[in-house]
Amino acid sequence: GQQVMQIPQYQHVQEGEDFTTYCNSSTTLSNIQWYKQRPGGHPVFLIQLVKSGEVKKQKRLTFQFGEAKKNSSLHITATQTTDVGTYFCAGWGADGLTFGKGTHLIIQP
Amino acid sequence: SQTIHQWPATLVQPVGSPLSLECTVEGTSNPNLYWYRQAAGRGLQLLFYSVGIGQISSEVPQNLSASRPQDRQFILSSKKLLLSDSGFYLCAWSALITAQYFGPGTRLLVL
């Protein structure tokens, strides 16, 4: 079945450093979605990418969808303490929506 | 605007007791509904999803069942809880293949 791998599992950064998480699917995706889960909270939808090679920005966050529509990345510039949490990618494919296991972002002040 | 409600927020239950968690959605019609479970610090495990009243698909064989008695109501149940049923239970809704919107979740501890 469809698999979505996400790396790294954990990322420690100093406040102000950049952060990137990567998502790779075993199959071609119709779209890819990104979610953020704050500690103790529930996942919150951030963005959806649909087109091959698409790049979208939300303030300090940059999202990319690969040309082959099988991989994606989320990059945060100059992390802040409010960025702490777990970032999940989720890809829509033939098997429906499959979530990656998430990247835990830990920020040291 | 659409909102999703889940209750209770936390629940402590003895092993062998029954379970009923409820999820309701407002502001949309015929949503796709989902139940997920999340172990502490882990990913999301899809348990059940529903595309309409009375239509339930199970992703993982387990001690749980789901029902959708009304268009915007989704219920997760168990007749006898196991220790391994402890976790964070999340309900979500979506329209077709768009984003999923999660409720606040129920933290279940089975002792």
Side-chain angles (χ1 to χ4, degrees):
Chain A
Q2 180 177 301
Q3 294 185 4
V4 174
M5 306 298 292
Q6 196 172 348
I7 57 169
Q9 185 177 0
Y10 292 91
Q11 183 74 59
H12 292 77
V13 300
Q14 294 284 338
E15 187 176 8
E17 291 182 338
D18 292 356
F19 159 77
T20 305
T21 174
Y22 301 91
C23 188
N24 289 285
S25 170
S26 58
T27 61
T28 301
L29 301 171
S30 300
N31 67 53
I32 194 143
Q33 301 165 8
W34 286 93
Y35 296 79
K36 176 183 179 181
Q37 185 175 22
R38 295 181 182 272
H42 58 277
V44 174
F45 172 74
L46 294 176
I47 206 163
Q48 176 172 288
L49 305 172
V50 179
K51 299 177 182 177
S52 169
E54 189 170 13
V55 178
K56 286 188 176 181
K57 292 189 175 183
Q58 289 180 348
K59 297 182 180 178
R60 293 178 295 103
L61 278 61
T62 302
F63 304 85
Q64 293 187 330
F65 199 10
E67 294 290 342
K69 300 185 74 173
K70 294 180 70 174
N71 58 75
S72 181
S73 65
L74 158 59
H75 179 83
I76 302 178
T77 302
T79 54
Q80 299 175 0
T81 55
T82 54
D83 296 324
V84 161
T86 303
Y87 293 84
F88 293 96
C89 65
W92 263 105
D95 294 344
L97 188 67
T98 302
F99 278 84
K101 293 189 182 301
T103 295
H104 301 267
L105 174 59
I106 299 108
I107 297 177
Q108 295 153 342
Chain B
S1 63
Q2 301 87 8
T3 55
I4 179 168
H5 303 278
Q6 270 189 260
W7 62 91
T10 59
L11 193 58
V12 180
Q13 291 285 99
V15 169
S17 64
L19 173 74
S20 181
L21 301 180
E22 189 165 342
C23 170
T24 59
V25 181
E26 295 177 357
T28 186
S29 296
N30 196 30
N32 292 341
L33 296 172
Y34 309 84
W35 278 112
Y36 290 89
R37 178 169 59 202
Q38 185 177 37
R42 308 294 292 274
L44 299 165
Q45 179 187 29
L46 179 62
L47 302 175
F48 301 95
Y49 69 93
S50 172
V51 299
I53 296 174
Q55 301 178 60
I56 308 294
S57 296
S58 174
E59 290 295 304
V60 181
Q62 61 216 325
N63 185 39
L64 302 169
S65 62
S67 62
R68 185 170 177 174
Q70 299 180 43
D71 181 45
R72 289 169 286 181
Q73 183 185 29
F74 206 21
I75 298 171
L76 183 69
S77 303
S78 173
K79 292 182 179 178
K80 289 186 177 182
L81 284 169
L82 307 172
L83 288 174
S84 57
D85 291 324
S86 293
F88 189 33
Y89 287 83
L90 291 153
C91 180
W93 76 271
S94 75
L96 298 177
I97 64 168
T98 60
Q100 291 194 4
Y101 297 94
F102 289 82
T106 295
R107 298 194 183 277
L108 172 66
L109 179 60
V110 182
L111 299 175

